Amino acid sequence: MNPITQELLGQVSDLFGGPIGGAYNIREDGDCAGRQSTEHVKIESKLTQPGIDILVDPDTVGETIYIPAVVTHTGVNDLVYNDFYIGEGADVTIVAGCGVHNDGGSEARHNGVHRFFLQKGARVLYIEKHLGIGDGSGKRVIDPKTHIEMAEDSYMEMDTTQIKGVDSTKRESTAVLGKNAKLVIKEKIMTHGDQYAETNFVVDLNGEGSGADLVSRSVAKGTSRQLFRSRINGNAACNGHSACDAIIMDNGVVSAIPELTANHVDAALIHEAAIGKIAGEQMTKLMTLGLTEQQAEEKIIEGFLK
Amino acid sequence: MNPITQELLGQVSDLFGGPIGGAYNIREDGDCAGRQSTEHVKIESKLTQPGIDILVDPDTVGETIYIPAVVTHTGVNDLVYNDFYIGEGADVTIVAGCGVHNDGGSEARHNGVHRFFLQKGARVLYIEKHLGIGDGSGKRVIDPKTHIEMAEDSYMEMDTTQIKGVDSTKRESTAVLGKNAKLVIKEKIMTHGDQYAETNFVVDLNGEGSGADLVSRSVAKGTSRQLFRSRINGNAACNGHSACDAIIMDNGVVSAIPELTANHVDAALIHEAAIGKIAGEQMTKLMTLGLTEQQAEEKIIEGFLK
């Protein structure tokens, strides 16, 4: 495994190339750089598309599945389809970071299309970190698509973080929730330079007692631009909440367009959004404690995105 | 003046056909049914379009201007352009109700295109009530367009209410704010039957220190549908706030799509939306005080829309 892959894996999925206990699949520049199934978690190549099927047996509890993908050099355009089938009553963690290294003049791109099928009572913690590195003038692009289908009583939390260095990202996430299913999505994005980040969530609360909580926190520095769009459709007795908090700095631009639609009299939907710069008092307080302006700013942003 | 006009005027603008002290213009089925200018408020017919120019002299303080419009029978399609020029330092109230009576099988429609030009330091309270009556099967339609331009230090409050009986409404409001200008919009809408109501606000906060507060409260009963869209663009050091609270009943459907864009680092923008039915505890409390379910419901909605 090359040192760039090692560095990216370390940052996006806490994998340093050493032995891993659980199931994993490492994708490197469009190829499989390592795979392991376990007794209850099978990882299989798809027959007609690039990508894998991850099959988690019913009642599998406590396993962590790593499926990082890296693009290590310029000119790569990687497209992958990964499907996760989570058996009834299973409770697993899935770590799916993506790192793109670009040291050349062409674009380096990773497009991951992920679909999740949660059977009755299944629980998933899905952690996704996106990172770009390298000194090339070519763009580092990550455009993930995530689709989630949740059966009765299932639960999923999706923690998605874009750390830095991704020049352009367009993130599409859709979810359909059955009876009493709960979905939590926590998104953190920081953009700098002239980066662009776009988020689109569409959640259909179809089942009685279903609920969704979408929380986005973002920081836009430099001349970067961000667009946050979320759509929650309440089609049954359900609860939906969406919040978008954004800090703008320098000449950063942020748009937030949340959309709530109550199609059922027992749907309860709430949204809040706030966009602004760091409050002056916060800066003053930290600077009287001895921090420079830059240190104070970093401290506040670190806390905001934690 | 026919009795239908009298009834509509009474409900939309507190005018009962009696003498009025201030400036007024009454529009009835596309024609002028009465007009009066005052020393400092001139009302003049437009030369090339249907409609009037309302010219308020600088420093005119305390006058109330009535410009109600009524459509009294089926088959009328009334389109009117009214422009309001508010002189520097003036402080006036404008009452612009619109009533549509339809007792036939064809559509009865009023489209009012209103533009406001507020000079430096001008203040306007703009009150607009929309109402439909009559037993005809033809639709009662009111599609108002409002455009507001606000110079330095000007202030405008727009109170817009759709009481009942309007089958379809599409409301477009745009505003451009200069330095330290403040805009408050309060919207109240109740829909019933299979009515449809759509609201679109677009506010550009261009001036340093400008601010906008958009507050919408709505109730959707029966199979009625409502769409609320607001867009606030913060293009300077400014404050923008938008809130949408909606109560749904029966099979009513409400969508809220607020949009915030901060194009300036000193723009502070906030939005909240909540859609849901009347809380059960509220109903229980009023019913233990002796109210029937229907009375309790009416009480709560009355309070909500007050």
Side-chain angles (χ1 to χ4, degrees):
Chain A
M1 202 176 281
N2 79 48
I4 293 171
T5 298
Q6 284 204 22
E7 183 187 343
L8 288 169
L9 288 181
Q11 291 209 43
V12 301
S13 68
D14 307 319
L15 291 178
F16 291 87
I20 307 165
Y24 68 87
N25 185 86
I26 299 169
R27 185 175 179 88
E28 183 186 39
D29 298 325
D31 289 320
C32 178
R35 177 181 301 171
Q36 179 172 286
S37 291
T38 62
E39 195 186 342
H40 298 296
V41 180
K42 301 285 176 292
I43 301 183
E44 295 167 2
S45 293
K46 280 190 178 293
L47 299 178
T48 58
Q49 288 177 312
I52 51 175
D53 287 329
I54 296 96
L55 307 150
V56 177
D57 285 346
D59 300 316
T60 305
V61 173
E63 287 205 39
T64 297
I65 302 151
Y66 291 93
I67 52 146
V70 300
V71 169
T72 66
H73 58 84
T74 199
V76 173
N77 183 354
D78 184 25
L79 169 63
V80 63
Y81 298 87
N82 296 335
D83 287 335
F84 301 79
Y85 300 92
I86 315 295
E88 198 172 319
D91 186 351
V92 296
T93 298
I94 297 164
V95 180
C98 175
V100 173
H101 173 267
N102 194 349
D103 52 6
S106 302
E107 192 174 87
R109 173 190 284 268
H110 176 79
N111 298 312
V113 182
H114 287 185
R115 296 192 302 169
F116 293 83
F117 302 92
L118 277 70
Q119 297 301 316
K120 198 175 168 184
R123 295 176 69 89
V124 171
L125 170 61
Y126 176 56
I127 301 167
E128 186 183 70
K129 278 187 198 167
H130 292 166
L131 169 72
I133 59 172
D135 299 323
S137 61
K139 285 196 182 282
R140 292 154 303 213
V141 180
I142 302 180
D143 286 348
K145 283 194 183 158
T146 307
H147 178 70
I148 302 167
E149 296 195 10
M150 302 181 71
E152 191 174 339
D153 293 324
S154 62
Y155 173 91
M156 180 154 166
E157 179 178 327
M158 176 173 167
D159 288 3
T160 172
T161 308
Q162 180 173 309
I163 309 169
K164 65 176 180 185
V166 179
D167 293 302
S168 176
T169 185
K170 206 169 161 183
R171 308 142 76 90
E172 312 268 354
S173 301
T174 54
V176 181
L177 278 70
K179 193 177 171 189
N180 292 323
K182 306 279 180 212
L183 174 66
V184 176
I185 299 182
K186 297 177 187 167
E187 176 187 69
K188 288 168 199 166
I189 297 187
M190 180 145 75
T191 53
H192 46 98
D194 65 345
Q195 298 176 350
Y196 178 69
E198 181 177 328
T199 294
N200 289 289
F201 291 126
V202 181
V203 177
D204 281 295
L205 298 171
N206 290 350
E208 195 188 326
S210 60
D213 191 17
L214 315 181
V215 179
S216 170
R217 295 203 148 196
S218 70
V219 176
K221 298 183 181 183
T223 56
S224 66
R225 292 169 301 126
Q226 295 186 13
L227 171 60
F228 171 85
R229 234 193 229 116
S230 72
R231 200 185 325 160
I232 300 181
N233 299 313
N235 304 322
C238 62
N239 283 283
H241 173 252
S242 160
C244 169
D245 281 303
I247 289 180
I248 44 174
M249 299 170 71
D250 313 320
N251 294 303
V253 170
V254 173
S255 285
I257 315 174
E259 182 171 339
L260 302 177
T261 299
N263 292 313
H264 190 284
V265 72
D266 292 310
L269 307 177
I270 296 176
H271 169 76
E272 316 106 35
I275 306 174
K277 65 173 180 177
I278 295 171
E281 315 89 76
Q282 274 186 286
M283 290 291 289
T284 309
K285 191 175 166 189
L286 288 174
M287 285 165 74
T288 56
L289 294 172
L291 274 63
T292 64
E293 189 176 336
Q294 203 191 331
Q295 287 169 332
E297 220 168 69
E298 279 167 11
K299 205 80 196 159
I300 289 165
I301 289 174
E302 193 189 309
F304 179 71
L305 292 179
K306 188 158 281 175
Chain B
M1 199 175 285
N2 78 49
I4 292 171
T5 298
Q6 284 204 22
E7 183 188 343
L8 288 169
L9 288 181
Q11 291 209 43
V12 300
S13 67
D14 307 318
L15 291 179
F16 291 85
I20 305 167
Y24 69 86
N25 185 85
I26 299 169
R27 186 174 178 87
E28 184 186 39
D29 298 325
D31 290 321
C32 178
R35 178 182 299 173
Q36 178 172 288
S37 291
T38 61
E39 193 187 341
H40 297 296
V41 179
K42 303 282 177 293
I43 301 183
E44 296 167 2
S45 293
K46 280 190 178 294
L47 300 178
T48 57
Q49 287 176 313
I52 50 176
D53 287 328
I54 297 95
L55 307 151
V56 177
D57 285 346
D59 299 316
T60 305
V61 173
E63 287 207 38
T64 297
I65 303 151
Y66 291 92
I67 51 147
V70 301
V71 169
T72 66
H73 58 84
T74 198
V76 173
N77 184 353
D78 184 26
L79 170 63
V80 63
Y81 297 88
N82 295 336
D83 287 334
F84 301 79
Y85 300 92
I86 315 296
E88 198 172 321
D91 185 351
V92 295
T93 298
I94 299 165
V95 180
C98 173
V100 173
H101 174 266
N102 194 349
D103 51 5
S106 303
E107 191 175 88
R109 175 191 284 268
H110 176 78
N111 298 313
V113 182
H114 286 186
R115 296 191 302 169
F116 293 84
F117 302 92
L118 277 70
Q119 298 301 317
K120 197 175 168 185
R123 295 176 70 88
V124 171
L125 170 60
Y126 176 56
I127 301 167
E128 185 183 71
K129 278 187 200 168
H130 292 167
L131 169 73
I133 59 173
D135 299 325
S137 61
K139 285 197 182 284
R140 292 156 301 215
V141 181
I142 302 180
D143 286 347
K145 281 192 186 162
T146 308
H147 178 70
I148 302 168
E149 295 195 12
M150 303 181 70
E152 191 174 339
D153 292 323
S154 63
Y155 173 91
M156 178 153 168
E157 180 178 327
M158 174 173 169
D159 288 2
T160 172
T161 308
Q162 180 175 309
I163 309 169
K164 64 176 180 187
V166 180
D167 293 303
S168 176
T169 184
K170 206 170 160 181
R171 307 143 75 89
E172 312 268 354
S173 301
T174 53
V176 181
L177 277 71
K179 193 177 171 188
N180 292 322
K182 307 278 180 213
L183 174 66
V184 176
I185 299 181
K186 297 177 186 168
E187 175 188 68
K188 289 169 200 166
I189 297 186
M190 180 145 74
T191 52
H192 48 97
D194 65 345
Q195 297 177 350
Y196 178 69
E198 182 177 327
T199 294
N200 289 290
F201 291 127
V202 181
V203 177
D204 280 296
L205 298 171
N206 290 350
E208 195 188 326
S210 61
D213 192 15
L214 315 181
V215 179
S216 170
R217 294 204 150 196
S218 69
V219 176
K221 298 183 182 184
T223 57
S224 67
R225 291 168 302 125
Q226 295 186 11
L227 171 60
F228 171 85
R229 235 194 228 114
S230 72
R231 200 189 319 164
I232 301 182
N233 299 313
N235 303 323
C238 62
N239 283 284
H241 174 253
S242 159
C244 169
D245 280 302
I247 289 180
I248 44 174
M249 299 170 71
D250 314 321
N251 294 303
V253 170
V254 173
S255 284
I257 314 176
E259 182 173 339
L260 302 176
T261 299
N263 292 314
H264 190 283
V265 72
D266 292 310
L269 306 177
I270 297 176
H271 166 75
E272 317 104 34
I275 306 174
K277 65 172 180 178
I278 295 172
E281 314 89 78
Q282 273 186 286
M283 290 291 289
T284 310
K285 192 175 167 189
L286 289 174
M287 286 164 74
T288 55
L289 294 172
L291 275 64
T292 64
E293 191 176 335
Q294 204 193 330
Q295 287 169 332
E297 221 167 69
E298 279 167 9
K299 206 80 196 161
I300 291 166
I301 287 174
E302 193 189 307
F304 179 71
L305 291 180
K306 188 158 279 172

